[in-house]
């Protein structure tokens, strides 16, 4: 089960093998898992449709690989440590045996509620161990989970429930977040006014509130598990059966449901986890992401548990009760591998060095970052103050759609260069394409980042709309998966991700489509139209800058801004709040009516002197007004 490459020389050999003989390479890795019926073929694919199959006709259950197969050797090993928001509350430590029993018990509860293989279940939970239990219990019985980040609004949940035609919601009365509590069940109730497919809502008691419980629909978690058996046979899944749907934003329309399937996702999650973090059996591993994002799926839950690791979940925020919380928790639990986002590092940097310098952090061995490019200053601070100059930093590039880390250092094996994700994992074949879609072969170049061969955890479809998957990822460049990112490759072949080349903004590592935010803003009754762009933000990486056209120019702009923000919070959630809202009398459009975002981006970036050619605009005067009113 040890999937680790152990030297950089071995990395090079494995990489070469993975390109020359992908089936042999992946077959050897896949054979270390528990298959209840062997697969017929490692990989069959064509990117046109797309139609991608890994480990076809193999039968498995990912939870048998996460739990059952560890029981003999690791039954008493810690599977999960949970650190609560409140420093005075007791933390939780569950062994593999305990986690197995809780998952089985809850899986039986789901079955008793009439939930079965293939049903879609929405999980809208705090960062508590029961969120992990809920995901695994769904997987145990073959139900397809779709975790919705607990910061999303009722409208956003309703959209996802309706798109997935989900049958059940698993939630909690509320959640703790720093000094605040958030009423989750109330948000679910509001969402459900717009949904007809939900038959059951299971509510975990997290904050001791008394939410409204609808008779015949809502049931407390503790009542649902009463008397349930602590063993539950695992549903036998086909490799290509859906494991989960995770909604993510793109450049057009509403968020789409990225679909991952059982066999390939399992293999890649464990393989990438062990290699990138150079995981060792006794490690305490902590990923600070939320389970509502892909990072939480692959690197809090599935990757570590498949590997028999001890994974830690944290309920709180990095700045509560103070900006030393991450480091206090690292020392408290003896964390060896720590994986977080550049935004968190930049935010903590801003609080000064004292918060980190008062902790020893001597248990740390490997540090990681994910979600957005890390700037050199933040990289150096992380390396010096958190890693004390001795821990490698793996800058992991990947996406919801890739399911797992694609380009990254491998612990201390690979050469490091600040702000560079580095080399692809064996099995991953990135290429840079030029404007015409021609592959750029040299080094020291920049281009559109694509992947030319599938890897086991590539998305298979977008839920309910295969055509959208094809158009978004497989139609830009024939026979290539298009990432939506631009990248540089340095003289040594190391990749540096520059950022999105489509209309996607990455705020604190969270993805939003500009169209999605514009649609939300346009819901405000005073708004005629809007255009949203990203701009560089010191902490968040990118901030949201909205240009808004109202029926009449608002007299009290601050009030109008607050109202628009409220609309966005209702439609999407607080995480999508525009940082800057500029009221304008019109938007710069071409004669064919297309908004020239290039101009709006330059103004938002404070580079109004570099607007370039504006002669094709319908009304060039509008640009002067926008430049003058820039925030
Ligand atoms: O633009 C890239 C950026 O995040 C996007 C994927 O977002 P999401 O699906 O939400 O997944 C985030 C966590 C995997 C990518 O298209 N991104 C992710 N990791 C990095 C990154 N940009 C630069 N460096 C990274 N390490």
């Amino acid at each position: 089960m040890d999937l680790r490459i152990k030297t950089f020389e071995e990395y090079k050999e494995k990489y070469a093998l993975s390109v020359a003989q992908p089936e042999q390479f992946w077959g050897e890795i896949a054979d270390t898992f528990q298959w209840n019926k062997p697969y017929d073929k490692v990989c069959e694919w064509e990117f046109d449709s797309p139609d991608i199959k890994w480990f076809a006709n193999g039968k498995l259950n990912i939870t048998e690989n996460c739990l059952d197969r560890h029981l003999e050797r690791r039954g008493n090993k810690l599977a999960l440590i949970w650190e609560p928001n409140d420093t005075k509350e007791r933390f939780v430590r569950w062994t593999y045996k305990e986690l197995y029993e809780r998952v089985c018990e809850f899986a039986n509860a789901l079955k008793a509620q009439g939930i079965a293989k293939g049903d879609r279940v929405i999980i809208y939970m705090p960062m508590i161990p029961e969120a992990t239990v809920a995901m695994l219990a769904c997987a145990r019985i073959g139900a397809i989970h779709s975790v919705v980040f607990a910061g999303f609004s009722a409208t956003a949940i309703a959209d996802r429930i309706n798109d997935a035609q989900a049958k059940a919601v698993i939630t909690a009365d509320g959640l703790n977040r720093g000094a605040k509590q958030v009423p989750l069940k109330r948000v679910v109730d509001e969402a459900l006014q717009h949904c007809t497919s939900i038959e059951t809502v299971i509510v975990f008691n997290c904050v001791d509130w008394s939410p409204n419980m609808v008779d015949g629909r809502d049931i407390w978690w503790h009542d649902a598990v009463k008397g349930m058996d602590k063993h539950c046979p695992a549903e036998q899944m086909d490799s290509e059966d859906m494991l989960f749907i995770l909604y993510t934003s793109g450049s057009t329309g509403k968020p789409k449901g990225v679909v991952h399937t059982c066999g390939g996702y399992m293999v890649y999650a464990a393989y990438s986890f062990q290699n990138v973090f150079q995981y060792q059996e006794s490690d305490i591993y902590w990923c600070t992401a939320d389970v509502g994002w892909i990072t939480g799926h692959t690197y809090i839950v599935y990757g570590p548990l498949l590997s028999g690791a001890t994974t830690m979940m944290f309920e709180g925020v990095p700045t509560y009760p103070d900006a030393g919380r991450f480091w206090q928790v690292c020392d408290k639990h003896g964390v060896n591998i720590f994986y977080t986002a550049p935004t968190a590092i930049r935010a903590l940097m801003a609080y000064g060095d004292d918060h980190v310098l008062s902790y020893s952090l001597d248990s740390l061995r490997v540090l990681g970052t994910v979600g957005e490019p890390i700037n050199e200053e933040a990289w150096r601070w992380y390396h010096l103050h958190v890693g004390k100059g001795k821990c490698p930093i793996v800058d992991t590039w990947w996406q919801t759609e890739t399911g797992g880390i694609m380009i990254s250092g491998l612990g201390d094996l690979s050469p490091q260069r600040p702000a560079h994700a580095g080399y692809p994992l064996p099995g991953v074949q990135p290429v840079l394409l030029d404007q015409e879609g021609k592959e750029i072969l040299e080094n020291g170049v920049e281009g559109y980042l694509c992947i030319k061969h599938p890897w086991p955890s590539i998305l298979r479809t977008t839920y309910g709309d295969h055509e959208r998957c094809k158009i978004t990822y497989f139609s830009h460049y024939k026979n290539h998966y298009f990432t939506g990112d631009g990248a540089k490759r340095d003289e040594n072949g190391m990749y540096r991700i520059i950022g999105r080349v489509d209309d996607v903004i990455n705020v604190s590592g969270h993805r939003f489509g500009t169209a999605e935010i514009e649609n939300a803003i346009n819901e405000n009754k005073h708004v005629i139209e809007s255009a949203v762009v990203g701009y560089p933000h010191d902490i968040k990486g990118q901030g949201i800058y909205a240009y808004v056209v109202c029926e009449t120019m608002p007299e009290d702009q601050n009030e109008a801004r607050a109202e628009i923000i409220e609309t966005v919070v209702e439609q999407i959630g607080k995480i999508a709040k525009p940082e800057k809202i500029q009221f304008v009398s019109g938007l710069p459009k071409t004669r064919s009516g297309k908004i020239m975002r290039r101009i709006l981006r330059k103004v938002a970036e404070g580079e109004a002197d570099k607007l370039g050619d504006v002669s094709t605009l319908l009304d060039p005067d509008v640009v002067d007004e926008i430049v003058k009113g820039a925030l």
Side-chain angles (χ1 to χ4, degrees):
M1 219 179 51
D2 183 357
L3 302 174
R4 216 152 39 96
I5 292 163
K6 297 194 177 65
T7 62
F8 195 57
E9 278 313 304
E10 192 190 347
Y11 161 79
K12 288 190 231 165
E13 283 161 26
K14 283 276 161 63
Y15 193 85
L17 172 70
S18 78
V19 174
Q21 316 245 16
E23 301 230 358
Q24 184 192 332
F25 174 79
W26 287 114
E28 280 171 17
I29 294 170
D31 288 346
T32 66
F33 293 82
Q34 178 181 327
W35 299 90
N36 298 324
K37 175 180 166 280
Y39 50 84
D40 296 334
K41 178 131 179 67
V42 172
C43 180
E44 287 167 292
W45 63 288
E46 56 96 357
F47 274 171
D48 260 349
S49 307
D51 184 8
I52 305 161
K53 290 193 185 70
W54 280 90
F55 314 116
N57 301 323
K59 296 277 182 208
L60 76 152
N61 186 292
I62 195 167
T63 69
E64 286 183 306
N65 283 276
C66 286
L67 301 170
D68 309 46
R69 72 171 168 152
H70 300 314
L71 292 181
E72 199 180 323
R73 265 191 55 216
R74 300 191 180 89
N76 293 323
K77 178 178 174 177
L78 283 183
L80 191 146
I81 302 176
W82 175 72
E83 172 67 21
N85 178 61
D86 182 346
T87 45
K88 289 188 235 42
E89 197 181 327
R90 264 198 69 74
F91 56 88
V92 163
R93 284 146 59 105
W94 286 346
T95 62
Y96 269 91
K97 181 160 179 291
E98 283 172 295
L99 181 60
Y100 164 84
E101 289 182 351
R102 284 173 196 269
V103 168
C104 285
E105 181 185 61
F106 193 61
N108 284 321
L110 291 176
K111 284 209 265 190
Q113 294 301 317
I115 299 158
K117 180 173 179 177
D119 288 340
R120 276 80 57 212
V121 176
I122 299 286
I123 299 177
Y124 185 67
M125 294 279 277
M127 277 293 289
I128 53 176
E130 286 72 17
T132 299
V133 172
M135 290 165 74
L136 294 173
C138 286
R140 186 84 180 171
I141 64 168
I144 301 160
H145 61 71
S146 185
V147 186
V148 177
F149 172 62
F152 277 119
S153 70
T155 311
I157 304 170
D159 285 347
R160 287 156 173 77
I161 290 175
N162 290 334
D163 189 79
Q165 282 298 292
K167 193 168 177 185
V169 178
I170 306 170
T171 187
D173 48 353
L175 64 73
N176 297 302
R177 208 173 155 69
K180 282 187 278 183
Q181 291 193 319
V182 182
L184 290 188
K185 175 62 165 55
R186 209 189 298 159
V187 184
V188 170
D189 284 343
E190 209 183 312
L192 292 188
Q193 290 176 4
H194 310 280
C195 307
T196 52
S197 61
I198 297 295
E199 293 172 12
T200 309
V201 179
I202 303 179
V203 187
F204 184 79
N205 179 4
C206 180
V207 291
D208 259 337
W209 284 345
S210 308
N212 173 46
M213 297 291 280
V214 176
D215 240 8
R217 188 196 72 184
D218 301 355
I219 179 169
W220 285 105
W221 178 300
H222 51 258
D223 289 332
V225 296
K226 231 174 244 162
M228 291 295 154
D229 195 341
K230 291 187 169 51
H231 298 282
C232 173
E235 188 71 38
Q236 288 315 301
M237 307 295 285
D238 192 273
S239 280
E240 285 300 330
D241 280 339
M242 284 187 204
L243 174 64
F244 66 84
I245 305 170
L246 188 56
Y247 284 85
T248 190
S249 301
S251 48
T252 55
K254 287 195 185 284
K256 48 191 173 295
V258 167
V259 170
H260 285 290
T261 56
C262 296
Y265 178 82
M266 170 179 78
V267 169
Y268 199 82
Y271 159 78
S272 55
F273 168 75
Q274 292 181 34
N275 278 295
V276 167
F277 300 107
Q278 286 294 298
Y279 163 72
Q280 293 168 15
E281 181 73 42
S282 59
D283 283 338
I284 305 285
Y285 161 84
W286 181 18
C287 164
T288 71
D290 192 284
V291 285
W293 310 115
I294 190 69
T295 309
H297 284 58
T298 312
Y299 298 112
I300 293 179
V301 180
Y302 289 110
L305 295 177
L306 285 163
S307 306
T310 302
T311 184
M312 189 158 84
M313 275 181 95
F314 174 48
E315 184 186 31
V317 293
T319 48
Y320 180 81
D322 60 47
R325 185 69 194 273
F326 272 179
W327 323 128
Q328 178 252 335
V329 173
C330 282
D331 276 2
K332 176 175 170 184
H333 295 285
V335 171
N336 307 107
I337 303 172
F338 178 74
Y339 188 31
T340 195
T343 289
I345 297 165
R346 287 191 296 262
L348 295 177
M349 256 171 85
Y351 281 87
D353 300 347
D354 289 352
H355 289 287
V356 61
L357 294 180
S358 44
Y359 295 98
S360 92
L361 299 177
D362 55 6
S363 57
L364 290 174
R365 201 184 72 242
V366 177
L367 302 175
T369 67
V370 59
E372 49 183 317
I374 180 164
N375 48 312
E376 274 200 52
E377 195 193 351
W379 192 98
R380 293 198 188 285
W381 187 88
Y382 195 29
H383 189 252
L384 181 67
H385 292 308
V386 181
K388 311 294 180 199
K390 65 180 172 51
C391 301
I393 298 178
V394 289
D395 176 351
T396 65
W397 174 83
W398 59 297
Q399 310 178 296
T400 305
E401 295 85 343
T402 69
I405 296 166
M406 303 285 282
I407 302 180
S408 168
L410 306 181
D412 60 356
L413 306 191
S414 342
Q416 289 186 63
R417 186 168 172 201
H420 286 66
Y423 295 108
L425 266 68
V428 174
Q429 298 186 37
V431 291
L432 296 179
L433 302 185
D434 67 14
Q435 296 274 6
E436 276 73 53
K438 224 172 110 255
E439 185 173 341
I440 310 168
L441 293 167
E442 316 82 74
N443 282 346
V445 290
E446 187 176 325
Y448 297 116
L449 180 62
C450 293
I451 320 277
K452 69 176 180 192
H453 190 280
W455 59 101
S457 60
I458 184 174
L459 88 161
R460 302 299 198 267
T461 189
T462 45
Y463 192 77
D465 192 352
H466 194 62
E467 187 64 16
R468 191 166 175 199
C469 172
K470 173 183 169 140
I471 292 170
T472 312
Y473 306 106
F474 299 95
S475 302
H476 290 261
Y477 305 107
K478 200 170 166 48
N479 288 328
H480 288 86
Y481 164 82
F482 176 47
T483 64
D485 281 331
K488 288 184 178 174
R489 192 167 50 220
D490 75 6
E491 295 303 337
N492 299 314
M494 290 177 100
Y495 285 87
R496 174 184 194 145
I497 310 301
I498 304 167
R500 304 289 305 195
V501 293
D502 53 5
D503 287 325
V504 168
I505 309 179
N506 192 333
V507 185
S508 302
H510 303 150
R511 263 162 78 167
F512 297 102
T514 52
E516 183 188 1
I517 301 171
E518 287 159 9
N519 291 342
I521 294 175
N522 298 350
E523 285 292 314
N524 185 285
K525 60 180 186 293
H526 303 298
V527 174
I528 295 179
E529 65 174 335
S530 60
V532 162
V533 296
Y535 72 97
H537 187 287
D538 284 350
I539 306 276
K540 299 178 174 184
Q542 279 193 298
I544 299 171
Y545 192 125
Y547 298 87
V548 177
V549 183
C550 291
E551 283 156 359
T552 51
M553 197 53 98
E555 271 171 30
D556 183 341
Q557 296 211 344
N558 283 337
E559 194 184 313
R561 277 192 191 102
E563 244 191 62
I564 288 172
I565 288 174
E566 191 50 38
T567 311
V568 174
V569 171
E570 270 166 27
Q571 295 292 315
I572 307 176
K574 280 199 184 120
I575 45 173
K577 276 200 297 205
E579 211 79 31
K580 297 185 179 182
I581 299 178
Q582 181 180 350
F583 294 101
V584 293
S585 60
L587 296 169
K589 290 187 181 164
T590 60
R591 293 196 179 90
S592 59
K594 202 168 167 284
I595 297 171
M596 280 185 86
R597 285 172 192 281
R598 177 176 58 80
I599 293 177
L600 297 175
R601 254 184 242 121
K602 284 281 173 217
V603 175
E605 285 163 6
E607 297 194 331
D609 51 329
K610 298 187 189 130
L611 292 186
D613 182 18
V614 295
S615 62
T616 55
L617 286 177
L618 190 62
D619 175 10
D621 289 349
V622 88
V623 176
D624 292 337
E625 180 206 318
I626 290 173
V627 171
K628 282 201 194 97
L631 300 169

